[in-house]
Short mmCIF file of all heavy atoms in Angstrom, two decimals:
data_model
loop_
_atom_site.label_atom_id
_atom_site.label_comp_id
_atom_site.label_asym_id
_atom_site.label_seq_id
_atom_site.Cartn_x
_atom_site.Cartn_y
_atom_site.Cartn_z
N TYR A 51 -7.37 -149.82 -74.31
CA TYR A 51 -7.16 -150.03 -72.98
C TYR A 51 -8.33 -150.71 -72.30
O TYR A 51 -8.15 -151.38 -71.30
CB TYR A 51 -7.01 -148.45 -72.29
CG TYR A 51 -6.95 -148.62 -70.88
CD1 TYR A 51 -5.76 -148.85 -70.17
CD2 TYR A 51 -8.10 -148.27 -69.93
CE1 TYR A 51 -5.66 -148.85 -68.90
CE2 TYR A 51 -8.08 -148.22 -68.67
CZ TYR A 51 -6.81 -148.54 -67.98
OH TYR A 51 -6.67 -148.51 -66.65
N HIS A 52 -9.57 -150.55 -72.86
CA HIS A 52 -10.64 -151.18 -72.15
C HIS A 52 -10.85 -152.67 -72.54
O HIS A 52 -11.66 -153.41 -71.91
CB HIS A 52 -11.93 -150.48 -72.71
CG HIS A 52 -11.92 -148.98 -72.22
ND1 HIS A 52 -12.21 -148.72 -70.91
CD2 HIS A 52 -11.81 -147.98 -73.01
CE1 HIS A 52 -12.25 -147.41 -70.89
NE2 HIS A 52 -11.91 -146.84 -72.02
N THR A 53 -9.89 -153.21 -73.43
CA THR A 53 -9.95 -154.61 -73.61
C THR A 53 -9.15 -155.37 -72.69
O THR A 53 -9.12 -156.64 -72.73
CB THR A 53 -9.41 -154.92 -74.99
OG1 THR A 53 -8.06 -154.48 -75.12
CG2 THR A 53 -10.23 -154.08 -76.11
N HIS A 54 -8.34 -154.80 -71.72
CA HIS A 54 -7.67 -155.59 -70.70
C HIS A 54 -8.63 -156.33 -69.73
O HIS A 54 -9.78 -155.85 -69.68
CB HIS A 54 -6.68 -154.59 -70.04
CG HIS A 54 -5.61 -154.10 -70.99
ND1 HIS A 54 -4.63 -153.22 -70.53
CD2 HIS A 54 -5.31 -154.47 -72.30
CE1 HIS A 54 -3.75 -152.94 -71.50
NE2 HIS A 54 -4.32 -153.63 -72.60
N ALA A 55 -8.13 -157.10 -69.13
CA ALA A 55 -8.93 -157.76 -68.02
C ALA A 55 -9.27 -156.90 -66.97
O ALA A 55 -8.60 -155.95 -66.47
CB ALA A 55 -8.04 -158.99 -67.41
N GLN A 56 -10.48 -156.98 -66.42
CA GLN A 56 -10.95 -156.17 -65.31
C GLN A 56 -10.32 -156.42 -64.03
O GLN A 56 -9.98 -157.60 -63.75
CB GLN A 56 -12.53 -156.45 -65.07
CG GLN A 56 -13.31 -156.07 -66.32
CD GLN A 56 -13.33 -154.58 -66.53
OE1 GLN A 56 -13.11 -153.79 -65.56
NE2 GLN A 56 -13.54 -154.09 -67.78
N PRO A 57 -9.94 -155.35 -63.25
CA PRO A 57 -9.16 -155.69 -61.98
C PRO A 57 -10.07 -156.43 -61.03
O PRO A 57 -11.27 -156.21 -60.96
CB PRO A 57 -8.86 -154.24 -61.37
CG PRO A 57 -9.94 -153.37 -62.14
CD PRO A 57 -10.04 -154.05 -63.49
N THR A 58 -9.50 -157.31 -60.36
CA THR A 58 -10.27 -158.27 -59.43
C THR A 58 -9.97 -157.93 -57.93
O THR A 58 -10.68 -158.49 -57.05
CB THR A 58 -9.80 -159.66 -59.68
OG1 THR A 58 -8.37 -159.81 -59.37
CG2 THR A 58 -10.13 -160.16 -61.08
N SER A 59 -9.06 -157.00 -57.73
CA SER A 59 -8.92 -156.77 -56.26
C SER A 59 -8.67 -155.20 -56.07
O SER A 59 -8.39 -154.50 -56.98
CB SER A 59 -7.56 -157.40 -55.77
OG SER A 59 -6.38 -157.02 -56.44
N GLN A 60 -8.73 -154.79 -54.72
CA GLN A 60 -8.48 -153.27 -54.46
C GLN A 60 -7.07 -152.85 -54.85
O GLN A 60 -6.94 -151.73 -55.30
CB GLN A 60 -8.77 -153.19 -52.98
CG GLN A 60 -8.59 -151.66 -52.55
CD GLN A 60 -9.73 -150.87 -52.97
OE1 GLN A 60 -10.78 -151.41 -53.34
NE2 GLN A 60 -9.52 -149.53 -53.00
N HIS A 61 -6.12 -153.81 -54.78
CA HIS A 61 -4.77 -153.46 -55.08
C HIS A 61 -4.57 -153.30 -56.61
O HIS A 61 -3.87 -152.44 -57.06
CB HIS A 61 -3.78 -154.54 -54.48
CG HIS A 61 -2.27 -154.28 -54.95
ND1 HIS A 61 -1.70 -153.27 -54.30
CD2 HIS A 61 -1.54 -154.86 -55.90
CE1 HIS A 61 -0.41 -153.32 -54.71
NE2 HIS A 61 -0.36 -154.15 -55.78
N GLN A 62 -5.27 -154.32 -57.34
CA GLN A 62 -5.10 -154.06 -58.84
C GLN A 62 -5.96 -153.14 -59.43
O GLN A 62 -5.73 -152.70 -60.46
CB GLN A 62 -5.58 -155.60 -59.44
CG GLN A 62 -4.55 -156.64 -59.13
CD GLN A 62 -4.98 -157.94 -59.60
OE1 GLN A 62 -6.21 -158.08 -60.01
NE2 GLN A 62 -4.15 -159.01 -59.58
N ARG A 63 -6.99 -152.59 -58.74
CA ARG A 63 -7.88 -151.56 -59.26
C ARG A 63 -7.19 -150.25 -59.46
O ARG A 63 -7.60 -149.33 -60.20
CB ARG A 63 -9.08 -151.47 -58.49
CG ARG A 63 -10.13 -150.51 -58.99
CD ARG A 63 -11.39 -150.49 -58.27
NE ARG A 63 -11.23 -150.28 -56.93
CZ ARG A 63 -12.23 -150.32 -55.93
NH1 ARG A 63 -13.43 -150.67 -56.26
NH2 ARG A 63 -11.93 -149.98 -54.65
N LEU A 64 -6.19 -149.99 -58.72
CA LEU A 64 -5.39 -148.77 -58.83
C LEU A 64 -4.16 -149.00 -59.60
O LEU A 64 -3.29 -149.79 -59.21
CB LEU A 64 -4.97 -148.25 -57.42
CG LEU A 64 -6.14 -147.90 -56.40
CD1 LEU A 64 -5.63 -147.46 -55.05
CD2 LEU A 64 -6.95 -146.79 -57.06
N CYS A 65 -4.04 -148.29 -60.69
CA CYS A 65 -2.81 -148.37 -61.59
C CYS A 65 -2.50 -147.07 -62.02
O CYS A 65 -2.88 -146.02 -61.60
CB CYS A 65 -3.15 -149.23 -62.73
SG CYS A 65 -4.54 -148.57 -63.68
N ARG A 66 -1.14 -147.00 -62.53
CA ARG A 66 -0.60 -145.69 -62.91
C ARG A 66 -1.39 -144.88 -63.87
O ARG A 66 -1.28 -143.61 -63.88
CB ARG A 66 0.78 -145.99 -63.49
CG ARG A 66 1.78 -146.62 -62.52
CD ARG A 66 3.10 -146.86 -63.11
NE ARG A 66 3.67 -145.65 -63.55
CZ ARG A 66 4.80 -145.60 -64.32
NH1 ARG A 66 5.41 -146.53 -64.74
NH2 ARG A 66 5.31 -144.29 -64.63
N SER A 67 -2.20 -145.43 -64.71
CA SER A 67 -2.95 -144.70 -65.61
C SER A 67 -4.19 -144.12 -65.10
O SER A 67 -4.98 -143.38 -65.77
CB SER A 67 -3.31 -145.61 -66.85
OG SER A 67 -4.15 -146.69 -66.37
N GLN A 68 -4.59 -144.42 -63.75
CA GLN A 68 -5.63 -143.70 -63.18
C GLN A 68 -5.23 -143.06 -61.83
O GLN A 68 -5.10 -143.64 -60.73
CB GLN A 68 -6.68 -144.87 -62.76
CG GLN A 68 -7.33 -145.46 -63.98
CD GLN A 68 -8.36 -146.40 -63.57
OE1 GLN A 68 -8.44 -146.83 -62.35
NE2 GLN A 68 -9.14 -146.93 -64.65
N PRO A 69 -4.84 -141.77 -61.94
CA PRO A 69 -4.29 -141.04 -60.65
C PRO A 69 -5.36 -140.69 -59.90
O PRO A 69 -5.89 -139.62 -59.84
CB PRO A 69 -3.64 -139.90 -61.36
CG PRO A 69 -4.37 -139.59 -62.62
CD PRO A 69 -4.73 -141.03 -63.11
N MET A 70 -5.92 -141.64 -58.95
CA MET A 70 -7.04 -141.45 -58.10
C MET A 70 -6.76 -140.39 -56.99
O MET A 70 -7.66 -139.72 -56.69
CB MET A 70 -7.34 -142.73 -57.41
CG MET A 70 -7.73 -143.97 -58.34
SD MET A 70 -9.29 -143.50 -59.14
CE MET A 70 -10.26 -143.56 -57.52
N HIS A 71 -5.58 -140.13 -56.65
CA HIS A 71 -5.26 -139.22 -55.59
C HIS A 71 -5.47 -137.75 -55.98
O HIS A 71 -5.89 -136.93 -55.35
CB HIS A 71 -3.83 -139.36 -55.07
CG HIS A 71 -2.81 -139.17 -56.14
ND1 HIS A 71 -2.56 -140.12 -57.06
CD2 HIS A 71 -1.98 -138.14 -56.28
CE1 HIS A 71 -1.66 -139.65 -57.81
NE2 HIS A 71 -1.19 -138.53 -57.38
N ILE A 72 -5.15 -137.57 -57.27
CA ILE A 72 -5.38 -136.17 -57.81
C ILE A 72 -6.84 -135.95 -58.00
O ILE A 72 -7.47 -134.89 -57.68
CB ILE A 72 -4.69 -136.05 -59.16
CG1 ILE A 72 -3.23 -136.33 -59.08
CG2 ILE A 72 -4.92 -134.77 -59.81
CD1 ILE A 72 -2.49 -136.33 -60.44
N LEU A 73 -7.66 -136.94 -58.40
CA LEU A 73 -9.11 -136.71 -58.52
C LEU A 73 -9.67 -136.48 -57.13
O LEU A 73 -10.67 -135.63 -57.01
CB LEU A 73 -9.76 -137.94 -59.19
CG LEU A 73 -11.23 -137.91 -59.38
CD1 LEU A 73 -11.70 -136.73 -60.23
CD2 LEU A 73 -11.71 -139.19 -59.73
N ALA A 74 -9.39 -137.18 -56.18
CA ALA A 74 -9.85 -136.97 -54.84
C ALA A 74 -9.58 -135.61 -54.27
O ALA A 74 -10.41 -134.99 -53.76
CB ALA A 74 -9.33 -137.99 -53.89
N VAL A 75 -8.37 -135.14 -54.44
CA VAL A 75 -8.00 -133.81 -54.03
C VAL A 75 -8.86 -132.76 -54.75
O VAL A 75 -9.34 -131.75 -54.11
CB VAL A 75 -6.59 -133.45 -54.21
CG1 VAL A 75 -6.18 -132.14 -53.97
CG2 VAL A 75 -5.75 -134.46 -53.36
N ARG A 76 -9.07 -132.91 -56.00
CA ARG A 76 -9.91 -131.97 -56.73
C ARG A 76 -11.35 -131.95 -56.21
O ARG A 76 -11.97 -130.84 -56.14
CB ARG A 76 -9.87 -132.32 -58.24
CG ARG A 76 -8.54 -131.92 -58.96
CD ARG A 76 -8.70 -132.25 -60.37
NE ARG A 76 -7.52 -131.96 -61.13
CZ ARG A 76 -7.16 -132.09 -62.32
NH1 ARG A 76 -8.11 -132.74 -63.06
NH2 ARG A 76 -6.10 -131.72 -62.97
N ARG A 77 -11.96 -133.06 -55.94
CA ARG A 77 -13.21 -133.14 -55.48
C ARG A 77 -13.35 -132.50 -54.09
O ARG A 77 -14.38 -131.75 -53.79
CB ARG A 77 -13.66 -134.62 -55.37
CG ARG A 77 -14.03 -135.24 -56.64
CD ARG A 77 -14.65 -136.59 -56.61
NE ARG A 77 -15.02 -137.18 -57.89
CZ ARG A 77 -15.61 -138.25 -58.11
NH1 ARG A 77 -15.89 -139.03 -57.00
NH2 ARG A 77 -15.95 -138.72 -59.32
N LEU A 78 -12.45 -132.72 -53.24
CA LEU A 78 -12.58 -132.13 -51.99
C LEU A 78 -12.33 -130.50 -52.02
O LEU A 78 -13.12 -129.80 -51.38
CB LEU A 78 -11.34 -132.63 -51.06
CG LEU A 78 -11.57 -134.09 -50.53
CD1 LEU A 78 -10.44 -134.52 -49.67
CD2 LEU A 78 -12.80 -134.17 -49.67
N GLN A 79 -11.63 -130.16 -53.00
CA GLN A 79 -11.33 -128.75 -53.18
C GLN A 79 -12.73 -128.14 -53.68
O GLN A 79 -13.15 -127.03 -53.23
CB GLN A 79 -10.29 -128.44 -54.13
CG GLN A 79 -8.90 -128.64 -53.40
CD GLN A 79 -7.75 -128.48 -54.53
OE1 GLN A 79 -8.08 -128.23 -55.69
NE2 GLN A 79 -6.56 -128.48 -53.99
N GLU A 80 -13.39 -128.77 -54.56
CA GLU A 80 -14.58 -128.29 -55.13
C GLU A 80 -15.69 -128.27 -53.98
O GLU A 80 -16.60 -127.33 -53.99
CB GLU A 80 -15.01 -129.11 -56.33
CG GLU A 80 -14.22 -129.01 -57.58
CD GLU A 80 -14.66 -129.79 -58.68
OE1 GLU A 80 -15.69 -130.50 -58.53
OE2 GLU A 80 -13.98 -129.84 -59.69
N GLU A 81 -15.73 -129.40 -53.23
CA GLU A 81 -16.79 -129.30 -52.21
C GLU A 81 -16.51 -128.20 -51.13
O GLU A 81 -17.44 -127.57 -50.70
CB GLU A 81 -16.80 -130.73 -51.57
CG GLU A 81 -17.42 -131.78 -52.35
CD GLU A 81 -17.49 -133.07 -51.67
OE1 GLU A 81 -17.03 -133.13 -50.42
OE2 GLU A 81 -18.04 -133.98 -52.23
N ASP A 82 -15.34 -128.08 -50.82
CA ASP A 82 -14.91 -126.99 -49.84
C ASP A 82 -15.22 -125.59 -50.35
O ASP A 82 -15.78 -124.74 -49.66
CB ASP A 82 -13.36 -126.99 -49.62
CG ASP A 82 -12.94 -126.04 -48.56
OD1 ASP A 82 -13.77 -125.80 -47.49
OD2 ASP A 82 -11.97 -125.47 -48.73
N GLN A 83 -15.00 -125.45 -51.83
CA GLN A 83 -15.32 -124.13 -52.34
C GLN A 83 -16.83 -123.99 -52.33
O GLN A 83 -17.40 -122.81 -52.26
CB GLN A 83 -14.80 -124.05 -53.73
CG GLN A 83 -15.02 -122.65 -54.38
CD GLN A 83 -14.13 -121.60 -53.72
OE1 GLN A 83 -13.22 -121.94 -53.11
NE2 GLN A 83 -14.53 -120.35 -53.88
N GLN A 84 -17.65 -125.02 -52.57
CA GLN A 84 -19.04 -124.83 -52.70
C GLN A 84 -19.64 -124.55 -51.30
O GLN A 84 -20.48 -123.75 -51.17
CB GLN A 84 -19.72 -126.18 -53.25
CG GLN A 84 -19.32 -126.39 -54.65
CD GLN A 84 -19.98 -127.78 -55.11
OE1 GLN A 84 -20.65 -128.52 -54.26
NE2 GLN A 84 -19.78 -128.04 -56.45
N TYR A 85 -19.17 -125.26 -50.26
CA TYR A 85 -19.67 -124.88 -48.83
C TYR A 85 -19.25 -123.50 -48.51
O TYR A 85 -19.92 -122.93 -47.77
CB TYR A 85 -19.03 -125.89 -47.86
CG TYR A 85 -19.57 -127.30 -47.98
CD1 TYR A 85 -18.79 -128.39 -48.04
CD2 TYR A 85 -20.93 -127.46 -48.13
CE1 TYR A 85 -19.33 -129.74 -48.20
CE2 TYR A 85 -21.52 -128.79 -48.29
CZ TYR A 85 -20.60 -129.75 -48.31
OH TYR A 85 -21.09 -131.10 -48.45
N ARG A 86 -18.08 -123.04 -49.06
CA ARG A 86 -17.63 -121.68 -48.60
C ARG A 86 -18.41 -120.66 -49.25
O ARG A 86 -18.55 -119.61 -48.73
CB ARG A 86 -16.15 -121.67 -49.04
CG ARG A 86 -15.58 -120.28 -48.49
CD ARG A 86 -13.98 -120.19 -48.88
NE ARG A 86 -13.28 -121.52 -48.34
CZ ARG A 86 -12.03 -121.69 -48.71
NH1 ARG A 86 -11.49 -121.01 -49.58
NH2 ARG A 86 -11.56 -122.91 -48.29
N THR A 87 -18.83 -120.88 -50.47
CA THR A 87 -19.55 -119.71 -51.30
C THR A 87 -21.02 -119.98 -51.28
O THR A 87 -21.81 -119.16 -51.81
CB THR A 87 -19.10 -119.76 -52.68
OG1 THR A 87 -19.42 -120.97 -53.21
CG2 THR A 87 -17.59 -119.51 -52.81
N SER A 88 -21.60 -120.95 -50.58
CA SER A 88 -23.07 -121.21 -50.60
C SER A 88 -23.72 -120.13 -49.87
O SER A 88 -24.96 -119.80 -50.15
CB SER A 88 -23.43 -122.59 -50.00
OG SER A 88 -23.04 -122.65 -48.58
N SER A 89 -23.20 -119.52 -48.79
CA SER A 89 -23.88 -118.46 -48.04
C SER A 89 -23.55 -117.07 -48.52
O SER A 89 -24.06 -116.22 -48.02
CB SER A 89 -23.57 -118.60 -46.54
OG SER A 89 -22.10 -118.46 -46.45
N LEU A 90 -22.66 -116.94 -49.58
CA LEU A 90 -22.23 -115.72 -50.07
C LEU A 90 -22.91 -115.37 -51.52
O LEU A 90 -23.16 -116.40 -52.12
CB LEU A 90 -20.76 -115.62 -50.20
CG LEU A 90 -20.02 -115.73 -48.81
CD1 LEU A 90 -18.55 -115.72 -49.10
CD2 LEU A 90 -20.33 -114.65 -47.86
N PRO A 91 -23.15 -114.21 -51.87
CA PRO A 91 -23.61 -113.97 -53.20
C PRO A 91 -22.55 -114.35 -54.25
O PRO A 91 -21.37 -114.24 -53.99
CB PRO A 91 -23.93 -112.47 -53.17
CG PRO A 91 -23.01 -111.91 -52.05
CD PRO A 91 -22.97 -113.05 -50.99
N ALA A 92 -23.15 -114.78 -55.37
CA ALA A 92 -22.24 -115.17 -56.58
C ALA A 92 -21.38 -113.96 -56.96
O ALA A 92 -22.00 -112.89 -57.23
CB ALA A 92 -22.98 -115.84 -57.60
N ILE A 93 -20.13 -114.17 -57.15
CA ILE A 93 -19.22 -113.04 -57.61
C ILE A 93 -19.09 -113.14 -59.04
O ILE A 93 -18.46 -114.37 -59.63
CB ILE A 93 -17.84 -113.07 -56.88
CG1 ILE A 93 -18.15 -112.86 -55.39
CG2 ILE A 93 -16.98 -112.04 -57.43
CD1 ILE A 93 -16.82 -113.02 -54.61
N PRO A 94 -19.32 -112.19 -59.93
CA PRO A 94 -19.24 -112.47 -61.43
C PRO A 94 -17.74 -112.60 -61.69
O PRO A 94 -16.88 -111.91 -61.24
CB PRO A 94 -19.81 -111.10 -61.99
CG PRO A 94 -20.62 -110.48 -60.92
CD PRO A 94 -20.09 -111.03 -59.61
N ASN A 95 -17.52 -113.48 -62.68
CA ASN A 95 -16.10 -113.80 -63.06
C ASN A 95 -15.65 -112.68 -64.15
O ASN A 95 -16.33 -112.50 -65.05
CB ASN A 95 -16.05 -115.18 -63.71
CG ASN A 95 -14.62 -115.55 -64.03
OD1 ASN A 95 -13.74 -114.83 -63.81
ND2 ASN A 95 -14.45 -116.85 -64.49
N PRO A 96 -14.58 -112.03 -63.87
CA PRO A 96 -14.31 -110.92 -64.80
C PRO A 96 -13.68 -111.50 -66.16
O PRO A 96 -13.56 -110.72 -67.10
CB PRO A 96 -13.12 -110.17 -64.10
CG PRO A 96 -12.60 -111.21 -63.02
CD PRO A 96 -13.73 -112.05 -62.58
N PHE A 97 -13.27 -112.75 -66.13
CA PHE A 97 -12.90 -113.39 -67.32
C PHE A 97 -13.67 -114.69 -67.59
O PHE A 97 -13.14 -115.81 -67.56
CB PHE A 97 -11.33 -113.71 -67.25
CG PHE A 97 -10.50 -112.55 -66.86
CD1 PHE A 97 -9.96 -112.52 -65.52
CD2 PHE A 97 -10.18 -111.56 -67.77
CE1 PHE A 97 -9.28 -111.45 -65.20
CE2 PHE A 97 -9.31 -110.55 -67.29
CZ PHE A 97 -8.94 -110.37 -66.00
N PRO A 98 -14.89 -114.49 -68.12
CA PRO A 98 -15.75 -115.66 -68.37
C PRO A 98 -15.37 -116.45 -69.64
O PRO A 98 -15.68 -117.55 -69.78
CB PRO A 98 -17.10 -115.01 -68.59
CG PRO A 98 -16.82 -113.64 -69.07
CD PRO A 98 -15.54 -113.20 -68.32
N GLU A 99 -14.49 -115.83 -70.49
CA GLU A 99 -14.03 -116.60 -71.72
C GLU A 99 -12.93 -117.58 -71.28
O GLU A 99 -12.61 -118.38 -72.19
CB GLU A 99 -13.60 -115.71 -72.73
CG GLU A 99 -12.29 -114.88 -72.34
CD GLU A 99 -12.65 -113.53 -71.62
OE1 GLU A 99 -13.71 -113.36 -71.26
OE2 GLU A 99 -11.71 -112.80 -71.35
N LEU A 100 -12.26 -117.53 -70.14
CA LEU A 100 -11.22 -118.36 -69.80
C LEU A 100 -11.67 -119.67 -69.06
O LEU A 100 -10.87 -120.63 -68.95
CB LEU A 100 -10.28 -117.67 -68.72
CG LEU A 100 -9.61 -116.38 -69.43
CD1 LEU A 100 -8.61 -115.84 -68.43
CD2 LEU A 100 -8.89 -116.76 -70.72
N CYS A 101 -12.93 -119.83 -68.80
CA CYS A 101 -13.37 -120.95 -68.25
C CYS A 101 -14.85 -121.18 -68.51
O CYS A 101 -15.50 -120.27 -69.01
CB CYS A 101 -13.23 -120.99 -66.67
SG CYS A 101 -14.32 -119.69 -65.95
N SER A 102 -15.34 -122.46 -68.44
CA SER A 102 -16.70 -122.78 -68.85
C SER A 102 -17.49 -122.73 -67.47
O SER A 102 -17.07 -122.85 -66.41
CB SER A 102 -16.77 -124.26 -69.36
OG SER A 102 -16.27 -125.12 -68.32
N PRO A 103 -18.78 -122.56 -67.62
CA PRO A 103 -19.72 -122.55 -66.48
C PRO A 103 -19.73 -123.73 -65.55
O PRO A 103 -19.77 -123.67 -64.46
CB PRO A 103 -21.04 -122.33 -67.04
CG PRO A 103 -20.79 -121.69 -68.40
CD PRO A 103 -19.58 -122.30 -68.92
N ALA A 104 -19.50 -124.91 -66.13
CA ALA A 104 -19.47 -126.04 -65.38
C ALA A 104 -18.17 -126.28 -64.54
O ALA A 104 -18.33 -126.95 -63.48
CB ALA A 104 -19.54 -127.38 -66.34
N SER A 105 -17.14 -125.65 -64.84
CA SER A 105 -15.83 -125.76 -64.18
C SER A 105 -15.58 -124.62 -63.40
O SER A 105 -14.58 -124.49 -62.63
CB SER A 105 -14.62 -126.02 -65.07
OG SER A 105 -14.61 -124.86 -65.97
#
Side-chain angles (χ1 to χ4, degrees):
Y51 175 81
H52 298 285
T53 59
H54 293 178
Q56 295 293 334
T58 57
S59 65
Q60 182 73 16
H61 178 75
Q62 292 177 347
R63 187 170 54 182
L64 297 174
C65 56
R66 295 180 61 187
S67 61
Q68 294 181 351
M70 296 292 294
H71 62 286
I72 299 178
L73 177 64
V75 172
R76 285 183 179 175
R77 288 189 173 180
L78 286 178
Q79 289 177 350
E80 291 180 3
E81 289 184 357
D82 183 43
Q83 186 69 21
Q84 289 177 359
Y85 291 133
R86 187 179 303 172
T87 59
S88 61
S89 60
L90 298 176
I93 302 175
N95 189 355
F97 306 103
E99 65 275 5
L100 299 181
C101 61
S102 62
S105 61

